[in-house]
Amino acid sequence: MPDTDPRADRTWLAAAVDLAVRNVAEGGGPFGAVVVMGGDLIAEGQNRVTRDNDPTAHAEVVAVRAACAKRGDFSLPGATLYTSCEPCPLCMASALWARLGRVVYAADRYDAARGGFDDLAFYELFGRDRDTWDTRVEAVALDGAVAPFDAWRDKADRVAY
């Protein structure tokens, strides 16, 4: 379990907010994140969506990717993700997949909405029936659809995650 020191939380959150403000000045989005483990900075990230034309290049995802690459592991138990804003569903999912021990944020989804971002709308969207979404999501029956999972299950040297 990661440490929960309020003074350290404020210090690392301030670092994430500083990254976000600096990113705006450099033409990026207003989001910054740092990954910390055992009191040490492992990685940082800034929103690179428009810079890289990558809709997944959110600050939290960038930071998690960098932390995993640095540690040589896809899992970050015991690490804390400090982020300038409450993670959107994409970022929260990446934190969960990385098995982070803790996520700490400063601004929230309502602040992001006031700033013109869709975080709140996406949170609300996931609570609605998919038939109401603008993007159609459909399952199509296909022979062999489960073949990848059969291959995975039968692979003796698979790495569980």
Side-chain angles (χ1 to χ4, degrees), residues 61-125:
V61 174
V62 171
V64 167
R65 286 176 181 160
C68 289
K70 183 174 183 177
R71 292 185 42 83
D73 196 342
F74 59 83
S75 185
L76 300 168
T80 299
L81 173 67
Y82 291 95
T83 180
S84 62
C85 186
E86 179 181 8
C88 73
L90 167 73
C91 296
M92 197 64 237
S94 70
L96 295 171
W97 276 110
R99 311 300 196 253
L100 284 158
R102 192 165 171 244
V103 175
V104 180
Y105 61 89
D108 65 22
R109 62 183 81 174
Y110 303 99
D111 298 316
R114 282 190 295 278
F117 290 86
D118 291 336
D119 302 48
L120 179 59
F122 286 134
Y123 270 104
E124 292 172 349
L125 176 75

Side-chain angles (χ1 to χ4, degrees), residues 1-16:
M1 178 64 109
D3 295 333
T4 57
D5 174 359
R7 182 180 294 155
D9 286 350
R10 285 189 294 280
T11 298
W12 291 117
L13 278 175

Side-chain angles (χ1 to χ4, degrees), residues 19-38:
L19 279 171
V21 171
R22 192 166 68 239
N23 200 45
V24 170
E26 295 169 357
F31 302 94
V34 296
V35 177
V36 176
M37 185 179 279

